[in-house]
Amino acid sequence: MDSTVATGSEENVWGGGNQPLGASYGKLMMWFFLVSDALTFSGLLAAYGFSRFKFIETWPIADEVFTHVPFFHGNFPMYYVAFMTFILIMSSVTMVLAVDAGHKMKKNAVIWYMFLTIIGGAIFVGSQGWEWATFIKGDYGAIETKGGRILQFVNTETGERAGIADFAKNIPSERVNHESKNGVWFYEGEALPSFTVNEVVEGFKAHPNIAIRTEAIIQPGNEGQGEKTILSRAEGLAKLANASQVVEGANLIHNEYGSRLFADFFFFITGFHGFHVTSGVVINLIIFFNVILGTYEKRGHYEMVEKVGLYWHFVDLVWVFVFTFFYLV
Amino acid sequence: MGHDHKLEIFRGLVKFKSNTQKIWGVLIFLTLITIVEVAFGIIKPAILTENYFLGMKVLNWIFIILTLVKAYYIAWDFMHLRDEKTSLRRAIVWTPIFLVAYLMFILLLEADYIYEVFTNGFVTWNF
């Protein structure tokens, strides 16, 4: 009798139709996709860690980079990104509530929770766009040396950062911002920063209260550890002899905040994550309209909501790590 | 599909009456962790930034551990891994953990080596 039963189940295994993992095909494939996507993000974050450990003594301090909150002036590190994190966790909650309502076949509840999830996602993507814009625009401006290193400026009287606009000397010159609409003999030119290197250097000489701040972080055991090194005036002037250009803001090639790799990874990782959020919002919208049309009511179950929910939670999960490695650590 | 939800978290220390209640409970827990992280990030207590463990600041270790705790509750309760079969859960969780741990190990070790070369070798990069 026992052997008959065993043969029977074996036939069933090969005949298909059973679910050893207790999950439907679609859900399983969503999970496997998420695992591979998790590995992609891990690869990016590990590469970030690699570059950071390589330049461990000169890496930018995140608190000094992301200090802005929309509509407010002043120095507020972390607050805005903490708000963004909360929005994303909150939209994860409304998503899981939508899945829960789906299990109970409550169509209207699913519609409302999906709607709130989409709104949360949109707020998050908008905030990220704003964060990018602020990062690209820059704060104080800096000098890039021939070696590609960044020299920033501080006011030694107040101890606060000084923008190049605060002290640079205006030296009349015939600098023209080359754009293709102004002439036919060139195709493109470098965008001009507000000041020339010479103007900044002369301004530095004229203002004894301005000092140079290098990328080097003061190492443990020394005074002011964890802060960036501030050079004396004489050392600063020697450093300025190597100045090659004025940098305002950040892009893939130059970064006024410090190591350019920081900007590269910031754009790539938050961009890739933002792309996931955007596609998540689009997929959520499609499912949202399907719910309104009653597709899943007719189908008899709301498993599609659960699957898209998995993707949405994954986006939240990745953000938790991005938040830690970009803003906290 | 996990229709019957496991409603206990913290190894049975907290038990919720319904799945909805559990969701809000987990939200409160995750929000608390985020607040703690942000508070630490702003205050940066000197004891935690001056002491090192395995070459990294104690504060950074705390951040990473809190992140893993958050990730656990998102995956277990929001993504319903708690309600899935053990075999599915293991396939999903251990595959990335193993691969990522290996990747981190080789990349960070290599990065530290390059840092040594930059510091002690005959290479000029900071000029």
Side-chain angles (χ1 to χ4, degrees):
Chain A
M1 193 59 196
D2 272 20
S3 58
T4 344
V5 173
T7 343
S9 66
E10 217 165 287
E11 266 170 15
N12 275 344
V13 168
W14 292 105
N18 50 21
Q19 300 181 343
L21 297 179
S24 70
Y25 174 80
K27 199 166 140 184
L28 211 53
M29 288 306 118
M30 178 52 92
W31 266 116
F32 288 165
F33 163 68
L34 293 183
V35 167
S36 68
D37 217 17
L39 291 173
T40 309
F41 272 108
S42 310
L44 288 171
L45 283 173
Y48 173 79
F50 175 81
S51 300
R52 187 169 173 166
F53 271 61
K54 216 165 108 178
F55 295 110
I56 194 81
E57 284 174 2
T58 51
W59 202 249
I61 299 169
D63 282 11
E64 295 173 355
V65 179
F66 308 102
T67 58
H68 296 280
V69 173
F71 311 118
F72 289 95
H73 287 286
N75 192 6
F76 305 109
M78 304 275 299
Y79 289 101
Y80 193 55
V81 72
F83 163 78
M84 281 165 66
T85 307
F86 182 71
I87 287 286
L88 206 57
I89 291 180
M90 203 57 220
S91 84
S92 232
V93 167
T94 53
M95 188 76 233
V96 82
L97 287 171
V99 174
D100 188 62
H103 281 315
K104 294 170 188 154
M105 301 299 282
K106 291 182 189 159
K107 184 181 162 186
N108 282 329
V110 179
I111 292 175
W112 274 108
Y113 285 133
M114 289 289 291
F115 178 71
L116 292 174
T117 309
I118 291 164
I119 297 292
I123 294 176
F124 182 85
V125 175
S127 304
Q128 218 169 32
W130 183 87
E131 186 107 327
W132 270 46
T134 319
F135 186 65
I136 291 169
K137 187 165 152 271
D139 267 331
Y140 300 102
I143 288 279
E144 191 176 305
T145 64
K146 284 175 188 153
R149 298 287 111 192
I150 289 294
L151 303 175
Q152 298 167 332
F153 300 92
V154 281
N155 189 332
T156 45
E157 283 161 11
T158 58
E160 282 171 16
R161 292 281 304 279
I164 49 171
D166 300 339
F167 65 89
K169 203 172 180 179
N170 257 318
I171 302 170
S173 69
E174 289 184 8
R175 300 194 308 150
V176 181
N177 206 352
H178 290 312
E179 289 174 43
S180 53
K181 66 178 182 200
N182 300 334
V184 290
W185 57 89
F186 53 78
Y187 295 100
E188 58 186 56
E190 293 261 311
L192 279 186
S194 326
F195 299 94
T196 61
V197 172
N198 199 22
E199 284 173 323
V200 175
V201 173
E202 290 305 316
F204 181 79
K205 284 176 185 163
H207 290 79
N209 61 334
I210 300 291
I212 281 191
R213 189 171 178 268
T214 65
E215 287 179 53
I217 297 170
I218 300 170
Q219 291 305 299
N222 301 306
E223 207 189 310
Q225 75 144 62
E227 309 265 320
K228 297 271 180 180
T229 313
I230 295 173
L231 300 179
S232 69
R233 290 276 298 173
E235 286 171 323
L237 271 176
K239 276 276 182 194
L240 275 181
N242 274 326
S244 77
Q245 60 178 306
V246 173
V247 181
E248 289 172 309
N251 54 43
L252 292 174
I253 309 164
H254 304 291
N255 175 12
E256 71 154 67
Y257 300 102
S259 179
R260 50 185 83 173
L261 278 170
F262 179 84
D264 296 345
F265 278 111
F266 176 77
F267 286 126
F268 210 98
I269 295 179
T270 63
F272 197 51
H273 177 262
F275 171 68
H276 273 76
V277 182
T278 313
S279 56
V281 168
V282 172
I283 299 168
N284 271 344
L285 264 177
I286 296 169
I287 303 297
F288 172 66
F289 285 120
N290 276 347
V291 176
I292 291 180
L293 293 173
T295 312
Y296 308 121
E297 201 72 27
K298 276 180 226 144
R299 197 176 285 178
H301 60 81
Y302 279 83
E303 212 198 50
M304 267 324 262
V305 177
E306 192 178 339
K307 279 179 232 166
V308 76
L310 284 179
Y311 182 70
W312 191 252
H313 298 310
F314 173 73
V315 166
D316 183 26
L317 189 69
V318 169
W319 179 254
V320 165
F321 284 92
V322 173
F323 174 63
T324 301
F325 290 116
F326 259 98
Y327 297 91
L328 290 175
V329 169
Chain B
M1 291 220 304
H3 274 293
D4 37 338
H5 296 286
K6 295 196 177 107
L7 299 173
E8 291 171 355
I9 63 170
F10 305 138
R11 298 197 159 268
L13 200 67
V14 182
K15 193 166 165 59
F16 295 102
K17 287 195 191 73
S18 70
N19 192 35
T20 327
Q21 229 181 31
K22 185 179 85 169
I23 294 165
W24 290 110
V26 172
L27 168 72
I28 291 168
F29 181 61
L30 291 180
T31 311
L32 270 178
I33 294 186
T34 309
I35 290 171
V36 168
E37 279 181 336
V38 171
F40 269 137
I42 291 170
I43 301 166
K44 291 193 177 173
I47 309 172
L48 299 177
T49 53
E50 279 162 15
N51 292 306
Y52 282 67
F53 177 70
L54 287 180
M56 202 160 62
K57 287 176 191 159
V58 174
L59 184 65
N60 288 356
W61 278 111
I62 292 178
F63 284 145
I64 290 171
I65 289 164
L66 287 179
T67 303
L68 291 174
V69 171
K70 258 160 82 172
Y72 173 86
Y73 282 98
I74 289 173
W76 254 245
D77 290 310
F78 288 175
M79 299 171 100
H80 302 299
L81 271 185
R82 207 187 284 280
D83 304 329
E84 302 292 355
K85 278 196 175 180
T86 320
S87 48
L88 174 61
R89 206 162 56 212
R90 284 184 184 156
I92 290 164
V93 174
W94 286 109
T95 314
I97 285 187
F98 173 73
L99 289 170
V100 171
Y102 175 60
L103 188 70
M104 294 305 274
F105 168 70
I106 49 173
L107 277 187
L108 296 187
L109 202 69
E110 181 68 11
D112 194 53
Y113 168 72
I114 297 176
Y115 163 78
E116 295 287 326
V117 171
F118 277 157
T119 324
N120 306 324
F122 298 99
V123 184
T124 311
W125 59 278
N126 197 351
F127 55 93

